[in-house]
Amino acid sequence: ATCRDGDRVARIGGDEFAVLLDAAGEEEAAAWCDRLAVAVAEQQRRRPDPPIAVSVGWGSAPPGCGLYAALAHADERMYEDKRARASRPAAASAA
C-alpha cells in the first residue's frame, strides 16, 4: 500500500526485501520509509498478534553510483535502525 506504480518489491533473502522506488532521491526514500513505519504501526494496532518488527534503510543510485553500492548503503542504514530500535525500551518501540 505504500508503493506507487513503477516501484518494485523483491525478496532478496530470508526475511529481507528491497524496494526499488522509481525515480526517487534520498528525501523521497526517507519519506517512504516513514510511511512504511506508520503503515506497520497501524497494522500492529489493528492486529497485534503476531508482533511485527521492521527495520528499514535506504540508499540511492545517482548517476555513477551502481545499484550494489546503493544496496550496501541501504543495508548499513537498516542495521543502524535495527540497533537503535533494540536500544529503546519496549514501550517506546511499540509506539
Side-chain angles (χ1 to χ4, degrees), residues 18-84:
V19 179
L20 300 177
L21 302 172
D22 188 37
E26 289 280 320
E27 288 181 20
E28 294 92 350
W32 182 86
C33 290
D34 291 342
R35 287 193 307 273
L36 178 64
V38 168
V40 169
E42 179 59 31
Q43 175 66 20
Q44 281 298 140
R45 279 190 287 279
R46 287 193 309 261
R47 299 186 74 188
D49 290 320
I52 298 171
V54 176
S55 297
V56 296
W58 67 94
S60 62
C65 176
L67 182 58
Y68 289 112
L71 285 171
H73 193 201
D75 205 43
E76 289 172 20
R77 284 182 166 153
M78 186 265 308
Y79 279 106
E80 288 172 10
D81 184 42
K82 188 177 283 206
R83 284 189 295 273

Side-chain angles (χ1 to χ4, degrees), residues 1-10 18-24 32 35:
T2 60
C3 292
R4 310 159 298 171
D5 288 342
D7 294 343
R8 300 289 180 252
V9 179
V19 179
L20 300 177
L21 302 172
D22 188 37
W32 182 86
R35 287 193 307 273

